[in-house]
Amino acid sequence: MGVFDRVVDLTLPLVPKPVVRRVASPYIAGEEMEDLLRLAAGLNQEGYRVAAAILGEFVTRKEESTEAVREYEQLLARMGERRIVGYIHIKPTHLGLKLDKAFCLENVRTLLIAARRQQLFVRMDMEDSPCIDDTLDMYYRLREEFDNVGVVIQARMRRSLADVRELAKVKANVRMCKGIYLEPHTIAYTDAELISRNYVRLTEELLGAGCTVAMATHDERLVWEGARLVDRLNVPRERYEFQMLLGVLAPLRRLILDGGHPIRVAVPYGPNWYPYSLRRLRKNPAIAGYVLKSLFK
Ligand SMILES: Cc1cc2nc3c(=O)[nH]c(=O)nc-3n(C[C@H](O)[C@H](O)[C@H](O)COP(=O)(O)OP(=O)(O)OC[C@H]3O[C@@H](n4cnc5c(N)ncnc54)[C@H](O)[C@@H]3O)c2cc1C
């Protein structure tokens, strides 16, 4: 971590919440489900698919997970009613992974049944390294029962090539990302160039094996590499898409859409916006700098 990043890391939590809320607002649909549904419909009109998520992670009480499941069930029903072109993605630790794995598995299963009713899909996000084995294990178990479930692979993890080769055997639907959690060098690549090269290598393995791949990135070089791969491997539109986060590099998003590629925007909502916003701001030094300046005003 560079000096600036360390300063950002230490001082962002001191910034008053209303300031963080204002600056982070482009990254979140709002606090209510209706905010999400309205924004999703607008994105659909422009030609984007949507990945909806309720903000929350690493819960400490089972009731929080149960509440999240109820809210996700309602969300799936509303998305179905309004014919939103989209799916939901969930964080396993939001659904109780750290509290009780069997409980978490049942929660995801409940959502998969609700999603199947609406012909919708559920992707399990990948969180920090202690969650990877359990999340993949849940994925393989659920994959035996459901077609509408997907998982995520992080290019920064050294283990990912082996994981990808296992996932290829079940023709998994995989989101490829660099990985947002900073992990130790013993288990993760820390060199940015190497992470990008690994991203391309893993994506090629997955596409070549007939998997469906969502390339989640705002890195234009990786978008270029992804477009090159789908062209070279003659991958049909049903088997790939690009993904970006709401509020990040919208002009690049537009270029991908105008280039004729399928693209999905990940749109989070909910009252638990604060930790998510801090993570987004940490990734964006220009905005984080602006926020920090407000501390000293
Ligand atoms: C749809 C989606 C789903 C994801 N799911 C997961 C997941 O399940 N598990 C996981 O570990 N990670 C996930 N990530 C995060 C991902 O792993 C990366 O941390 C993040 O996308 C940054 O990597 P990048 O490929 O965009 O490249 P970078 O090189 O980090 O970014 C390229 C440029 O994009 C801009 N940028 C990137 N991210 C942000 C941001 N958050 N805010 C502001 N500007 C930004 C910057 O200007 C940067 O220069 C997801 C990302 C996306 C887009």
Side-chain angles (χ1 to χ4, degrees):
M1 205 187 267
V3 175
F4 180 78
D5 291 342
R6 218 166 293 139
V7 172
V8 168
D9 216 50
L10 289 173
T11 42
L12 262 183
L14 306 176
V15 176
K17 270 194 173 185
V19 176
V20 175
R21 178 72 184 89
R22 188 156 26 88
V23 183
S25 64
Y27 302 124
I28 25 191
E31 295 203 4
E32 308 295 332
M33 190 183 296
E34 196 49 44
D35 298 327
L36 176 278
L37 292 166
R38 205 177 314 112
L39 201 122
L43 285 165
N44 281 174
Q45 269 188 346
E46 288 181 57
Y48 299 104
R49 303 164 179 182
V50 165
I54 303 165
L55 291 166
E57 58 195 321
F58 294 102
V59 298
T60 51
R61 293 180 302 115
K62 283 189 173 177
E63 295 74 37
E64 294 174 77
S65 303
T66 306
E67 208 176 290
V69 171
R70 255 186 244 124
E71 172 99 3
Y72 267 121
E73 283 181 302
Q74 279 178 30
L75 175 61
L76 285 163
R78 297 291 98 75
M79 285 172 74
E81 270 164 33
R82 301 208 194 170
R83 298 186 193 290
I84 297 292
V85 182
Y87 66 56
I88 62 162
H89 61 120
I90 56 99
K91 291 207 184 304
T93 65
H94 193 190
L95 301 192
L97 184 69
K98 289 286 179 197
L99 302 177
D100 176 347
K101 196 175 145 192
F103 166 74
C104 180
L105 183 70
E106 275 319 300
N107 284 337
V108 184
R109 179 178 278 118
T110 302
L111 293 184
L112 282 165
I113 292 167
R116 190 162 58 187
R117 231 176 271 135
Q118 309 291 341
Q119 295 179 316
L120 293 174
F121 180 88
V122 179
R123 186 175 307 279
M124 290 191 283
D125 289 349
M126 193 58 83
E127 298 171 89
D128 60 0
S129 57
C131 296
I132 299 179
D133 276 333
D134 285 343
T135 303
L136 286 175
D137 184 46
M138 284 202 300
Y139 172 76
Y140 286 117
R141 291 213 212 174
L142 294 165
R143 184 71 181 83
E144 285 174 12
E145 246 181 284
F146 298 94
D147 286 332
N148 59 335
V149 60
V151 73
V152 177
I153 284 288
Q154 297 156 323
R156 80 168 57 241
M157 300 306 301
R158 293 179 190 274
R159 58 177 287 167
S160 288
L161 182 60
D163 288 337
V164 153
R165 288 184 174 161
E166 283 305 307
L167 288 167
K169 292 181 190 162
V170 296
K171 296 258 186 298
N173 184 320
V174 180
R175 174 200 291 153
M176 271 303 310
C177 68
K178 288 184 181 175
I180 200 162
Y181 305 91
L182 295 179
E183 302 285 356
H185 184 249
T186 44
I187 57 167
Y189 302 110
T190 50
D191 177 90
E193 179 61 26
L194 206 46
I195 295 171
S196 293
R197 290 183 65 184
N198 201 36
Y199 186 108
V200 178
R201 181 180 185 190
L202 300 174
T203 305
E204 184 166 6
E205 287 261 347
L206 289 166
L207 288 173
C211 295
T212 300
V213 184
M215 294 172 274
T217 184
H218 316 93
D219 181 340
E220 191 168 1
R221 284 171 311 163
L222 290 186
V223 172
W224 184 89
E225 292 281 3
R228 187 180 64 88
L229 277 176
V230 295
D231 184 41
R232 183 163 67 73
L233 301 172
N234 216 1
V235 182
R237 279 176 70 84
E238 313 79 69
R239 273 216 298 116
Y240 83 95
E241 66 180 15
F242 290 96
Q243 295 192 345
M244 291 177 68
L245 301 172
L246 182 72
V248 181
L249 297 185
L252 177 60
R253 185 171 94 195
R254 185 81 226 177
L255 285 170
I256 297 171
L257 184 72
D258 292 346
H261 297 289
I263 173 158
R264 188 179 303 271
V265 182
V267 185
Y269 81 98
N272 294 325
W273 51 268
Y274 186 65
Y276 180 82
S277 304
L278 287 191
R279 268 216 310 276
R280 296 281 77 83
L281 293 174
R282 284 191 177 110
K283 284 290 288 180
N284 193 331
I287 296 185
Y290 164 76
V291 176
L292 291 178
K293 265 187 228 148
S294 72
L295 246 191
F296 302 104
K297 277 189 184 157

